[in-house]
Amino acid sequence: MPTADHIWLGRTSTRPTLFRQIATRLALFTLVFALLDIAIVITTYSRQPQSLAEELLTMEAAKASNSGTAATNLLAGPPGASRWFASYLASESVPAPSASIHQSPVKGDLMDWTRREKLAEGYRISGVRTVTIDGERKWLFMQFEGSGIRPYIPVIANELLQHVALPLVPLSLLMLLFNVLAVRRVLAPLREAEIQVDQLDPENMTLRITEPSEPREVATLVTAVNRALARLEIAMGTLRSFTANAAHELRTPLSIMQLSLGELPEGKQKQQLLRDNAQMNRLVNQLLDLAQADASPLDLGDRIDLAEIAQRAVSHLAPIALGKEQDISFEDLGDAQIHGHEEAIYRVLRNLIENAIYHGSGNKPIEVRAGPGPQVSIRDHGSGISEKDIPFIFDRFWRKNRQNQEGSGLGLGIVHRLVEIHGGTIKLQTPPDGGAQFTISFPRANDV
């Protein structure tokens, strides 16, 4: 069943990362810059008709040179030209074109030239270009009429290719790559901080995030988070100390109350008060267990016998079981040696046996087995635990029925934490004939 942490991580994982957002914006900025450059080139050339005319005739002459033939009918002329004429000159005089094309006489030595004339419905472009055909130098006379910017589209497209696309695209890609790498490097400390934040353990409040030397904004953020963690560590320490101190202080008045209740005359009211007092004693003991589980790391270097501790827990809790008309059986299957903290293991077994007593049935005894090997199992024959409740039973303060006054929901949470500290595992089984069986397994003494 997904936990709140899993749901939160699932939602944040669908959000775009800061790196992706910055990289996307850089790519859009590069695209806008390229479009702006194209717009500037088009605007600039559209305001220079003479330059456009010169470039256009030069492009047409280049087509003739590249064709390698003197046939002018291969020149189609610019797109959108209403009239087009091209001819090679054999002398200094210009041949007479068709009647629809204006003749432009040439005087003196031939040279490249371009003339633009305004017409009622557009313009006329005339000019001569020197070309080389099969190693022979020739002069090509060209003239066309048109209107608007359409005839100049090849010139503008060539200009965009030669002076915008070829230099700008590689440069823009290099700049984009450089910026992306720079952003990745700048965000690397933030990513490292994110990883370290995910590794923070509520059970170890001394952990801190490594503060990077740069950039300053990330360093400032990490420093602020570390200050918050320090304040949280102080608050958690205060809370744990209060829990332990309160539990210790409650033990004495509860013991006095137990003695005073024993002097009352027999009756239902006395029995109810004794049960309430026992429940309060159990809660106080669990608060002490909780304080120990959340305290500084335990010394796990002692070699202890699980069978001995289990037998002691059974002996201490036998009177409570008898008071509830329960029997307890103990069996030592051998080889149950581990390294660990004796008092913490005792608290684990005591909580599990208490749960079995409070939730078991008097028809069959509670079965406690130590071994074979480094494990202990506690089996009761009560109503058992439903499948839908199993994911929550180790959560602190969780109770299926909040109206039930017995139990605080702390026992199994404490057990899980102390077993985890010892590097062990706890497994719940629901036998077919009813009840519940908890099996705790630890690393062998020689393996630790």
Side-chain angles (χ1 to χ4, degrees), residues 1 8 33 42 75 82-83 89 105 124 127 145 231 250 263 280 287 305 309 312 358 361 428 433:
M1 182 174 183
W8 183 82
F33 175 76
I42 294 176
L75 299 178
S82 58
R83 295 175 182 175
L89 304 181
R124 178 188 295 119
E145 294 180 0
R231 293 193 296 268
L250 285 172
E263 299 177 358
M280 292 179 65
L287 288 175
D305 187 353
I309 299 175
R312 175 155 54 94
Y358 281 98
S361 171
L428 168 64
D433 57 344

mmCIF file with all atom_site columns, all heavy atoms in Angstrom, residues 1 8 33 42 75 82-83 89 105 124 127 145 231 250 263 280 287 305 309 312 358 361 428 433:
data_model
loop_
_atom_site.group_PDB
_atom_site.id
_atom_site.type_symbol
_atom_site.label_atom_id
_atom_site.label_alt_id
_atom_site.label_comp_id
_atom_site.label_asym_id
_atom_site.label_entity_id
_atom_site.label_seq_id
_atom_site.pdbx_PDB_ins_code
_atom_site.Cartn_x
_atom_site.Cartn_y
_atom_site.Cartn_z
_atom_site.occupancy
_atom_site.B_iso_or_equiv
_atom_site.pdbx_formal_charge
_atom_site.auth_seq_id
_atom_site.auth_comp_id
_atom_site.auth_asym_id
_atom_site.auth_atom_id
_atom_site.pdbx_PDB_model_num
ATOM 1   N N   . MET A 1 1   ? 0.854  -1.201  0.000   1.00 0.00 ? 1   MET A N   1
ATOM 2   C CA  . MET A 1 1   ? 0.000  0.000   0.000   1.00 0.00 ? 1   MET A CA  1
ATOM 3   C C   . MET A 1 1   ? 0.881  1.238   0.000   1.00 0.00 ? 1   MET A C   1
ATOM 4   O O   . MET A 1 1   ? 1.805  1.349   0.811   1.00 0.00 ? 1   MET A O   1
ATOM 5   C CB  . MET A 1 1   ? -0.892 -0.011  1.244   1.00 0.00 ? 1   MET A CB  1
ATOM 6   C CG  . MET A 1 1   ? -1.847 1.172   1.311   1.00 0.00 ? 1   MET A CG  1
ATOM 7   S SD  . MET A 1 1   ? -2.989 1.010   2.706   1.00 0.00 ? 1   MET A SD  1
ATOM 8   C CE  . MET A 1 1   ? -3.976 2.479   2.430   1.00 0.00 ? 1   MET A CE  1
ATOM 9   N N   . TRP A 1 8   ? 3.851  11.567  -2.205  1.00 0.00 ? 8   TRP A N   1
ATOM 10  C CA  . TRP A 1 8   ? 4.498  12.874  -2.371  1.00 0.00 ? 8   TRP A CA  1
ATOM 11  C C   . TRP A 1 8   ? 5.604  12.801  -3.404  1.00 0.00 ? 8   TRP A C   1
ATOM 12  O O   . TRP A 1 8   ? 5.729  13.661  -4.271  1.00 0.00 ? 8   TRP A O   1
ATOM 13  C CB  . TRP A 1 8   ? 5.054  13.318  -1.019  1.00 0.00 ? 8   TRP A CB  1
ATOM 14  C CG  . TRP A 1 8   ? 5.678  14.670  -1.060  1.00 0.00 ? 8   TRP A CG  1
ATOM 15  C CD1 . TRP A 1 8   ? 5.059  15.885  -0.993  1.00 0.00 ? 8   TRP A CD1 1
ATOM 16  C CD2 . TRP A 1 8   ? 7.075  14.963  -1.194  1.00 0.00 ? 8   TRP A CD2 1
ATOM 17  N NE1 . TRP A 1 8   ? 5.973  16.889  -1.078  1.00 0.00 ? 8   TRP A NE1 1
ATOM 18  C CE2 . TRP A 1 8   ? 7.222  16.367  -1.204  1.00 0.00 ? 8   TRP A CE2 1
ATOM 19  C CE3 . TRP A 1 8   ? 8.217  14.180  -1.316  1.00 0.00 ? 8   TRP A CE3 1
ATOM 20  C CZ2 . TRP A 1 8   ? 8.440  16.982  -1.312  1.00 0.00 ? 8   TRP A CZ2 1
ATOM 21  C CZ3 . TRP A 1 8   ? 9.439  14.804  -1.428  1.00 0.00 ? 8   TRP A CZ3 1
ATOM 22  C CH2 . TRP A 1 8   ? 9.538  16.189  -1.419  1.00 0.00 ? 8   TRP A CH2 1
ATOM 23  N N   . PHE A 1 33  ? 16.166 34.747  -30.668 1.00 0.00 ? 33  PHE A N   1
ATOM 24  C CA  . PHE A 1 33  ? 17.300 35.528  -31.171 1.00 0.00 ? 33  PHE A CA  1
ATOM 25  C C   . PHE A 1 33  ? 17.510 35.272  -32.661 1.00 0.00 ? 33  PHE A C   1
ATOM 26  O O   . PHE A 1 33  ? 17.756 36.207  -33.435 1.00 0.00 ? 33  PHE A O   1
ATOM 27  C CB  . PHE A 1 33  ? 18.553 35.159  -30.378 1.00 0.00 ? 33  PHE A CB  1
ATOM 28  C CG  . PHE A 1 33  ? 19.801 35.816  -30.887 1.00 0.00 ? 33  PHE A CG  1
ATOM 29  C CD1 . PHE A 1 33  ? 20.065 37.153  -30.626 1.00 0.00 ? 33  PHE A CD1 1
ATOM 30  C CD2 . PHE A 1 33  ? 20.723 35.098  -31.644 1.00 0.00 ? 33  PHE A CD2 1
ATOM 31  C CE1 . PHE A 1 33  ? 21.212 37.760  -31.107 1.00 0.00 ? 33  PHE A CE1 1
ATOM 32  C CE2 . PHE A 1 33  ? 21.866 35.692  -32.125 1.00 0.00 ? 33  PHE A CE2 1
ATOM 33  C CZ  . PHE A 1 33  ? 22.119 37.032  -31.858 1.00 0.00 ? 33  PHE A CZ  1
ATOM 34  N N   . ILE A 1 42  ? 16.025 40.688  -43.238 1.00 0.00 ? 42  ILE A N   1
ATOM 35  C CA  . ILE A 1 42  ? 14.987 40.914  -44.247 1.00 0.00 ? 42  ILE A CA  1
ATOM 36  C C   . ILE A 1 42  ? 14.605 42.385  -44.307 1.00 0.00 ? 42  ILE A C   1
ATOM 37  O O   . ILE A 1 42  ? 14.462 42.981  -45.396 1.00 0.00 ? 42  ILE A O   1
ATOM 38  C CB  . ILE A 1 42  ? 13.753 40.044  -43.930 1.00 0.00 ? 42  ILE A CB  1
ATOM 39  C CG1 . ILE A 1 42  ? 14.105 38.562  -44.093 1.00 0.00 ? 42  ILE A CG1 1
ATOM 40  C CG2 . ILE A 1 42  ? 12.594 40.408  -44.831 1.00 0.00 ? 42  ILE A CG2 1
ATOM 41  C CD1 . ILE A 1 42  ? 12.984 37.626  -43.703 1.00 0.00 ? 42  ILE A CD1 1
ATOM 42  N N   . LEU A 1 75  ? 18.485 30.253  -68.627 1.00 0.00 ? 75  LEU A N   1
ATOM 43  C CA  . LEU A 1 75  ? 18.270 31.146  -67.485 1.00 0.00 ? 75  LEU A CA  1
ATOM 44  C C   . LEU A 1 75  ? 16.783 31.463  -67.385 1.00 0.00 ? 75  LEU A C   1
ATOM 45  O O   . LEU A 1 75  ? 16.212 32.086  -68.279 1.00 0.00 ? 75  LEU A O   1
ATOM 46  C CB  . LEU A 1 75  ? 19.083 32.430  -67.646 1.00 0.00 ? 75  LEU A CB  1
ATOM 47  C CG  . LEU A 1 75  ? 20.613 32.243  -67.728 1.00 0.00 ? 75  LEU A CG  1
ATOM 48  C CD1 . LEU A 1 75  ? 21.282 33.597  -67.940 1.00 0.00 ? 75  LEU A CD1 1
ATOM 49  C CD2 . LEU A 1 75  ? 21.121 31.581  -66.463 1.00 0.00 ? 75  LEU A CD2 1
ATOM 50  N N   . SER A 1 82  ? 7.775  39.778  -64.285 1.00 0.00 ? 82  SER A N   1
ATOM 51  C CA  . SER A 1 82  ? 6.757  39.814  -65.336 1.00 0.00 ? 82  SER A CA  1
ATOM 52  C C   . SER A 1 82  ? 7.389  39.689  -66.720 1.00 0.00 ? 82  SER A C   1
ATOM 53  O O   . SER A 1 82  ? 6.792  39.105  -67.632 1.00 0.00 ? 82  SER A O   1
ATOM 54  C CB  . SER A 1 82  ? 5.953  41.124  -65.236 1.00 0.00 ? 82  SER A CB  1
ATOM 55  O OG  . SER A 1 82  ? 6.820  42.247  -65.341 1.00 0.00 ? 82  SER A OG  1
ATOM 56  N N   . ARG A 1 83  ? 8.602  40.192  -66.911 1.00 0.00 ? 83  ARG A N   1
ATOM 57  C CA  . ARG A 1 83  ? 9.305  40.092  -68.190 1.00 0.00 ? 83  ARG A CA  1
ATOM 58  C C   . ARG A 1 83  ? 10.772 39.856  -67.906 1.00 0.00 ? 83  ARG A C   1
ATOM 59  O O   . ARG A 1 83  ? 11.334 40.433  -66.978 1.00 0.00 ? 83  ARG A O   1
ATOM 60  C CB  . ARG A 1 83  ? 9.130  41.368  -69.013 1.00 0.00 ? 83  ARG A CB  1
ATOM 61  C CG  . ARG A 1 83  ? 7.673  41.589  -69.440 1.00 0.00 ? 83  ARG A CG  1
ATOM 62  C CD  . ARG A 1 83  ? 7.516  42.921  -70.136 1.00 0.00 ? 83  ARG A CD  1
ATOM 63  N NE  . ARG A 1 83  ? 6.119  43.152  -70.510 1.00 0.00 ? 83  ARG A NE  1
ATOM 64  C CZ  . ARG A 1 83  ? 5.676  44.286  -71.050 1.00 0.00 ? 83  ARG A CZ  1
ATOM 65  N NH1 . ARG A 1 83  ? 6.519  45.274  -71.294 1.00 0.00 ? 83  ARG A NH1 1
ATOM 66  N NH2 . ARG A 1 83  ? 4.408  44.416  -71.371 1.00 0.00 ? 83  ARG A NH2 1
ATOM 67  N N   . LEU A 1 89  ? 26.825 39.516  -75.089 1.00 0.00 ? 89  LEU A N   1
ATOM 68  C CA  . LEU A 1 89  ? 27.278 40.613  -75.938 1.00 0.00 ? 89  LEU A CA  1
ATOM 69  C C   . LEU A 1 89  ? 28.537 40.192  -76.685 1.00 0.00 ? 89  LEU A C   1
ATOM 70  O O   . LEU A 1 89  ? 29.488 39.695  -76.082 1.00 0.00 ? 89  LEU A O   1
ATOM 71  C CB  . LEU A 1 89  ? 27.560 41.855  -75.095 1.00 0.00 ? 89  LEU A CB  1
ATOM 72  C CG  . LEU A 1 89  ? 26.391 42.368  -74.225 1.00 0.00 ? 89  LEU A CG  1
ATOM 73  C CD1 . LEU A 1 89  ? 26.815 43.609  -73.477 1.00 0.00 ? 89  LEU A CD1 1
ATOM 74  C CD2 . LEU A 1 89  ? 25.171 42.644  -75.091 1.00 0.00 ? 89  LEU A CD2 1
ATOM 75  N N   . PRO A 1 105 ? 21.582 51.221  -74.131 1.00 0.00 ? 105 PRO A N   1
ATOM 76  C CA  . PRO A 1 105 ? 22.874 51.286  -74.823 1.00 0.00 ? 105 PRO A CA  1
ATOM 77  C C   . PRO A 1 105 ? 24.022 51.312  -73.840 1.00 0.00 ? 105 PRO A C   1
ATOM 78  O O   . PRO A 1 105 ? 23.893 51.786  -72.732 1.00 0.00 ? 105 PRO A O   1
ATOM 79  C CB  . PRO A 1 105 ? 22.780 52.591  -75.613 1.00 0.00 ? 105 PRO A CB  1
ATOM 80  C CG  . PRO A 1 105 ? 21.814 53.428  -74.842 1.00 0.00 ? 105 PRO A CG  1
ATOM 81  C CD  . PRO A 1 105 ? 20.827 52.495  -74.259 1.00 0.00 ? 105 PRO A CD  1
ATOM 82  N N   . ARG A 1 124 ? 12.188 48.300  -63.246 1.00 0.00 ? 124 ARG A N   1
ATOM 83  C CA  . ARG A 1 124 ? 12.941 47.572  -64.274 1.00 0.00 ? 124 ARG A CA  1
ATOM 84  C C   . ARG A 1 124 ? 14.388 47.512  -63.819 1.00 0.00 ? 124 ARG A C   1
ATOM 85  O O   . ARG A 1 124 ? 14.977 48.520  -63.430 1.00 0.00 ? 124 ARG A O   1
ATOM 86  C CB  . ARG A 1 124 ? 12.848 48.272  -65.618 1.00 0.00 ? 124 ARG A CB  1
ATOM 87  C CG  . ARG A 1 124 ? 13.664 47.563  -66.709 1.00 0.00 ? 124 ARG A CG  1
ATOM 88  C CD  . ARG A 1 124 ? 13.736 48.362  -68.000 1.00 0.00 ? 124 ARG A CD  1
ATOM 89  N NE  . ARG A 1 124 ? 12.402 48.484  -68.593 1.00 0.00 ? 124 ARG A NE  1
ATOM 90  C CZ  . ARG A 1 124 ? 11.789 49.664  -68.801 1.00 0.00 ? 124 ARG A CZ  1
ATOM 91  N NH1 . ARG A 1 124 ? 12.393 50.787  -68.428 1.00 0.00 ? 124 ARG A NH1 1
ATOM 92  N NH2 . ARG A 1 124 ? 10.602 49.718  -69.359 1.00 0.00 ? 124 ARG A NH2 1
ATOM 93  N N   . GLY A 1 127 ? 21.340 45.244  -66.381 1.00 0.00 ? 127 GLY A N   1
ATOM 94  C CA  . GLY A 1 127 ? 22.723 45.167  -65.969 1.00 0.00 ? 127 GLY A CA  1
ATOM 95  C C   . GLY A 1 127 ? 23.528 44.217  -66.804 1.00 0.00 ? 127 GLY A C   1
ATOM 96  O O   . GLY A 1 127 ? 23.001 43.423  -67.588 1.00 0.00 ? 127 GLY A O   1
ATOM 97  N N   . GLU A 1 145 ? 11.544 42.999  -65.526 1.00 0.00 ? 145 GLU A N   1
ATOM 98  C CA  . GLU A 1 145 ? 10.600 43.897  -64.868 1.00 0.00 ? 145 GLU A CA  1
ATOM 99  C C   . GLU A 1 145 ? 9.821  43.100  -63.821 1.00 0.00 ? 145 GLU A C   1
ATOM 100 O O   . GLU A 1 145 ? 9.536  41.913  -64.002 1.00 0.00 ? 145 GLU A O   1
ATOM 101 C CB  . GLU A 1 145 ? 9.634  44.508  -65.888 1.00 0.00 ? 145 GLU A CB  1
ATOM 102 C CG  . GLU A 1 145 ? 10.310 45.423  -66.889 1.00 0.00 ? 145 GLU A CG  1
ATOM 103 C CD  . GLU A 1 145 ? 9.321  46.002  -67.887 1.00 0.00 ? 145 GLU A CD  1
ATOM 104 O OE1 . GLU A 1 145 ? 8.116  45.671  -67.756 1.00 0.00 ? 145 GLU A OE1 1
ATOM 105 O OE2 . GLU A 1 145 ? 9.761  46.754  -68.769 1.00 0.00 ? 145 GLU A OE2 1
ATOM 106 N N   . ARG A 1 231 ? 17.619 23.329  15.062  1.00 0.00 ? 231 ARG A N   1
ATOM 107 C CA  . ARG A 1 231 ? 16.499 23.681  15.948  1.00 0.00 ? 231 ARG A CA  1
ATOM 108 C C   . ARG A 1 231 ? 15.575 22.485  16.144  1.00 0.00 ? 231 ARG A C   1
ATOM 109 O O   . ARG A 1 231 ? 15.066 22.245  17.246  1.00 0.00 ? 231 ARG A O   1
ATOM 110 C CB  . ARG A 1 231 ? 15.730 24.863  15.364  1.00 0.00 ? 231 ARG A CB  1
ATOM 111 C CG  . ARG A 1 231 ? 16.523 26.161  15.343  1.00 0.00 ? 231 ARG A CG  1
ATOM 112 C CD  . ARG A 1 231 ? 15.625 27.357  15.049  1.00 0.00 ? 231 ARG A CD  1
ATOM 113 N NE  . ARG A 1 231 ? 15.045 27.275  13.724  1.00 0.00 ? 231 ARG A NE  1
ATOM 114 C CZ  . ARG A 1 231 ? 15.602 27.809  12.637  1.00 0.00 ? 231 ARG A CZ  1
ATOM 115 N NH1 . ARG A 1 231 ? 16.776 28.439  12.721  1.00 0.00 ? 231 ARG A NH1 1
ATOM 116 N NH2 . ARG A 1 231 ? 15.009 27.712  11.460  1.00 0.00 ? 231 ARG A NH2 1
ATOM 117 N N   . LEU A 1 250 ? 6.044  9.047   36.778  1.00 0.00 ? 250 LEU A N   1
ATOM 118 C CA  . LEU A 1 250 ? 4.732  8.419   36.959  1.00 0.00 ? 250 LEU A CA  1
ATOM 119 C C   . LEU A 1 250 ? 4.828  7.047   37.618  1.00 0.00 ? 250 LEU A C   1
ATOM 120 O O   . LEU A 1 250 ? 3.836  6.556   38.171  1.00 0.00 ? 250 LEU A O   1
ATOM 121 C CB  . LEU A 1 250 ? 4.026  8.278   35.598  1.00 0.00 ? 250 LEU A CB  1
ATOM 122 C CG  . LEU A 1 250 ? 3.452  9.566   35.003  1.00 0.00 ? 250 LEU A CG  1
ATOM 123 C CD1 . LEU A 1 250 ? 2.960  9.306   33.593  1.00 0.00 ? 250 LEU A CD1 1
ATOM 124 C CD2 . LEU A 1 250 ? 2.318  10.094  35.871  1.00 0.00 ? 250 LEU A CD2 1
ATOM 125 N N   . GLU A 1 263 ? -5.786 -2.465  49.311  1.00 0.00 ? 263 GLU A N   1
ATOM 126 C CA  . GLU A 1 263 ? -6.436 -2.376  50.626  1.00 0.00 ? 263 GLU A CA  1
ATOM 127 C C   . GLU A 1 263 ? -7.939 -2.150  50.522  1.00 0.00 ? 263 GLU A C   1
ATOM 128 O O   . GLU A 1 263 ? -8.640 -2.176  51.539  1.00 0.00 ? 263 GLU A O   1
ATOM 129 C CB  . GLU A 1 263 ? -5.803 -1.241  51.428  1.00 0.00 ? 263 GLU A CB  1
ATOM 130 C CG  . GLU A 1 263 ? -4.305 -1.452  51.684  1.00 0.00 ? 263 GLU A CG  1
ATOM 131 C CD  . GLU A 1 263 ? -3.684 -0.267  52.409  1.00 0.00 ? 263 GLU A CD  1
ATOM 132 O OE1 . GLU A 1 263 ? -4.430 0.717   52.655  1.00 0.00 ? 263 GLU A OE1 1
ATOM 133 O OE2 . GLU A 1 263 ? -2.472 -0.316  52.712  1.00 0.00 ? 263 GLU A OE2 1
ATOM 134 N N   . MET A 1 280 ? -2.294 1.643   32.964  1.00 0.00 ? 280 MET A N   1
ATOM 135 C CA  . MET A 1 280 ? -1.445 2.834   33.081  1.00 0.00 ? 280 MET A CA  1
ATOM 136 C C   . MET A 1 280 ? 0.010  2.441   33.264  1.00 0.00 ? 280 MET A C   1
ATOM 137 O O   . MET A 1 280 ? 0.915  3.079   32.714  1.00 0.00 ? 280 MET A O   1
ATOM 138 C CB  . MET A 1 280 ? -1.927 3.691   34.249  1.00 0.00 ? 280 MET A CB  1
ATOM 139 C CG  . MET A 1 280 ? -3.297 4.340   34.014  1.00 0.00 ? 280 MET A CG  1
ATOM 140 S SD  . MET A 1 280 ? -3.854 5.324   35.417  1.00 0.00 ? 280 MET A SD  1
ATOM 141 C CE  . MET A 1 280 ? -2.636 6.629   35.428  1.00 0.00 ? 280 MET A CE  1
ATOM 142 N N   . LEU A 1 287 ? 6.168  4.044   27.282  1.00 0.00 ? 287 LEU A N   1
ATOM 143 C CA  . LEU A 1 287 ? 6.783  5.364   27.097  1.00 0.00 ? 287 LEU A CA  1
ATOM 144 C C   . LEU A 1 287 ? 8.282  5.302   27.373  1.00 0.00 ? 287 LEU A C   1
ATOM 145 O O   . LEU A 1 287 ? 9.083  5.941   26.681  1.00 0.00 ? 287 LEU A O   1
ATOM 146 C CB  . LEU A 1 287 ? 6.109  6.389   28.002  1.00 0.00 ? 287 LEU A CB  1
ATOM 147 C CG  . LEU A 1 287 ? 4.689  6.806   27.607  1.00 0.00 ? 287 LEU A CG  1
ATOM 148 C CD1 . LEU A 1 287 ? 4.081  7.729   28.664  1.00 0.00 ? 287 LEU A CD1 1
ATOM 149 C CD2 . LEU A 1 287 ? 4.682  7.506   26.249  1.00 0.00 ? 287 LEU A CD2 1
ATOM 150 N N   . ASP A 1 305 ? 21.746 -14.263 25.198  1.00 0.00 ? 305 ASP A N   1
ATOM 151 C CA  . ASP A 1 305 ? 21.018 -15.482 24.861  1.00 0.00 ? 305 ASP A CA  1
ATOM 152 C C   . ASP A 1 305 ? 19.531 -15.147 24.780  1.00 0.00 ? 305 ASP A C   1
ATOM 153 O O   . ASP A 1 305 ? 18.917 -14.766 25.778  1.00 0.00 ? 305 ASP A O   1
ATOM 154 C CB  . ASP A 1 305 ? 21.274 -16.545 25.926  1.00 0.00 ? 305 ASP A CB  1
ATOM 155 C CG  . ASP A 1 305 ? 20.677 -17.897 25.540  1.00 0.00 ? 305 ASP A CG  1
ATOM 156 O OD1 . ASP A 1 305 ? 19.959 -17.961 24.514  1.00 0.00 ? 305 ASP A OD1 1
ATOM 157 O OD2 . ASP A 1 305 ? 20.919 -18.873 26.265  1.00 0.00 ? 305 ASP A OD2 1
ATOM 158 N N   . ILE A 1 309 ? 16.515 -14.496 27.872  1.00 0.00 ? 309 ILE A N   1
ATOM 159 C CA  . ILE A 1 309 ? 15.715 -13.273 27.988  1.00 0.00 ? 309 ILE A CA  1
ATOM 160 C C   . ILE A 1 309 ? 14.237 -13.587 27.799  1.00 0.00 ? 309 ILE A C   1
ATOM 161 O O   . ILE A 1 309 ? 13.377 -13.056 28.515  1.00 0.00 ? 309 ILE A O   1
ATOM 162 C CB  . ILE A 1 309 ? 16.193 -12.239 26.950  1.00 0.00 ? 309 ILE A CB  1
ATOM 163 C CG1 . ILE A 1 309 ? 17.652 -11.875 27.198  1.00 0.00 ? 309 ILE A CG1 1
ATOM 164 C CG2 . ILE A 1 309 ? 15.312 -10.990 26.990  1.00 0.00 ? 309 ILE A CG2 1
ATOM 165 C CD1 . ILE A 1 309 ? 18.237 -10.962 26.155  1.00 0.00 ? 309 ILE A CD1 1
ATOM 166 N N   . ARG A 1 312 ? 12.844 -15.126 30.941  1.00 0.00 ? 312 ARG A N   1
ATOM 167 C CA  . ARG A 1 312 ? 12.660 -14.112 31.990  1.00 0.00 ? 312 ARG A CA  1
ATOM 168 C C   . ARG A 1 312 ? 11.413 -13.289 31.723  1.00 0.00 ? 312 ARG A C   1
ATOM 169 O O   . ARG A 1 312 ? 10.646 -12.983 32.659  1.00 0.00 ? 312 ARG A O   1
ATOM 170 C CB  . ARG A 1 312 ? 13.902 -13.223 32.043  1.00 0.00 ? 312 ARG A CB  1
ATOM 171 C CG  . ARG A 1 312 ? 13.802 -12.059 33.016  1.00 0.00 ? 312 ARG A CG  1
ATOM 172 C CD  . ARG A 1 312 ? 15.206 -11.627 33.464  1.00 0.00 ? 312 ARG A CD  1
ATOM 173 N NE  . ARG A 1 312 ? 16.067 -11.342 32.343  1.00 0.00 ? 312 ARG A NE  1
ATOM 174 C CZ  . ARG A 1 312 ? 16.240 -10.122 31.839  1.00 0.00 ? 312 ARG A CZ  1
ATOM 175 N NH1 . ARG A 1 312 ? 15.569 -9.090  32.343  1.00 0.00 ? 312 ARG A NH1 1
ATOM 176 N NH2 . ARG A 1 312 ? 17.075 -9.939  30.829  1.00 0.00 ? 312 ARG A NH2 1
ATOM 177 N N   . TYR A 1 358 ? -3.113 -9.669  25.884  1.00 0.00 ? 358 TYR A N   1
ATOM 178 C CA  . TYR A 1 358 ? -4.278 -8.794  25.798  1.00 0.00 ? 358 TYR A CA  1
ATOM 179 C C   . TYR A 1 358 ? -5.183 -9.143  24.612  1.00 0.00 ? 358 TYR A C   1
ATOM 180 O O   . TYR A 1 358 ? -6.379 -8.860  24.637  1.00 0.00 ? 358 TYR A O   1
ATOM 181 C CB  . TYR A 1 358 ? -3.837 -7.334  25.708  1.00 0.00 ? 358 TYR A CB  1
ATOM 182 C CG  . TYR A 1 358 ? -3.456 -6.759  27.050  1.00 0.00 ? 358 TYR A CG  1
ATOM 183 C CD1 . TYR A 1 358 ? -2.113 -6.700  27.436  1.00 0.00 ? 358 TYR A CD1 1
ATOM 184 C CD2 . TYR A 1 358 ? -4.421 -6.290  27.934  1.00 0.00 ? 358 TYR A CD2 1
ATOM 185 C CE1 . TYR A 1 358 ? -1.750 -6.175  28.657  1.00 0.00 ? 358 TYR A CE1 1
ATOM 186 C CE2 . TYR A 1 358 ? -4.055 -5.764  29.168  1.00 0.00 ? 358 TYR A CE2 1
ATOM 187 C CZ  . TYR A 1 358 ? -2.723 -5.716  29.534  1.00 0.00 ? 358 TYR A CZ  1
ATOM 188 O OH  . TYR A 1 358 ? -2.367 -5.213  30.752  1.00 0.00 ? 358 TYR A OH  1
ATOM 189 N N   . SER A 1 361 ? -6.566 -15.659 23.365  1.00 0.00 ? 361 SER A N   1
ATOM 190 C CA  . SER A 1 361 ? -7.747 -16.363 23.867  1.00 0.00 ? 361 SER A CA  1
ATOM 191 C C   . SER A 1 361 ? -7.311 -17.375 24.919  1.00 0.00 ? 361 SER A C   1
ATOM 192 O O   . SER A 1 361 ? -6.192 -17.906 24.866  1.00 0.00 ? 361 SER A O   1
ATOM 193 C CB  . SER A 1 361 ? -8.459 -17.071 22.717  1.00 0.00 ? 361 SER A CB  1
ATOM 194 O OG  . SER A 1 361 ? -9.478 -17.919 23.193  1.00 0.00 ? 361 SER A OG  1
ATOM 195 N N   . LEU A 1 428 ? 5.133  -11.095 10.498  1.00 0.00 ? 428 LEU A N   1
ATOM 196 C CA  . LEU A 1 428 ? 3.829  -11.484 11.037  1.00 0.00 ? 428 LEU A CA  1
ATOM 197 C C   . LEU A 1 428 ? 3.225  -12.563 10.151  1.00 0.00 ? 428 LEU A C   1
ATOM 198 O O   . LEU A 1 428 ? 3.193  -12.432 8.933   1.00 0.00 ? 428 LEU A O   1
ATOM 199 C CB  . LEU A 1 428 ? 2.892  -10.270 11.100  1.00 0.00 ? 428 LEU A CB  1
ATOM 200 C CG  . LEU A 1 428 ? 1.422  -10.574 11.380  1.00 0.00 ? 428 LEU A CG  1
ATOM 201 C CD1 . LEU A 1 428 ? 1.234  -11.198 12.759  1.00 0.00 ? 428 LEU A CD1 1
ATOM 202 C CD2 . LEU A 1 428 ? 0.573  -9.317  11.236  1.00 0.00 ? 428 LEU A CD2 1
ATOM 203 N N   . ASP A 1 433 ? -5.520 -21.685 11.519  1.00 0.00 ? 433 ASP A N   1
ATOM 204 C CA  . ASP A 1 433 ? -6.432 -21.970 12.633  1.00 0.00 ? 433 ASP A CA  1
ATOM 205 C C   . ASP A 1 433 ? -6.657 -20.765 13.537  1.00 0.00 ? 433 ASP A C   1
ATOM 206 O O   . ASP A 1 433 ? -7.181 -20.911 14.644  1.00 0.00 ? 433 ASP A O   1
ATOM 207 C CB  . ASP A 1 433 ? -5.910 -23.159 13.455  1.00 0.00 ? 433 ASP A CB  1
ATOM 208 C CG  . ASP A 1 433 ? -4.497 -22.921 13.974  1.00 0.00 ? 433 ASP A CG  1
ATOM 209 O OD1 . ASP A 1 433 ? -3.824 -21.996 13.443  1.00 0.00 ? 433 ASP A OD1 1
ATOM 210 O OD2 . ASP A 1 433 ? -4.076 -23.640 14.888  1.00 0.00 ? 433 ASP A OD2 1
#
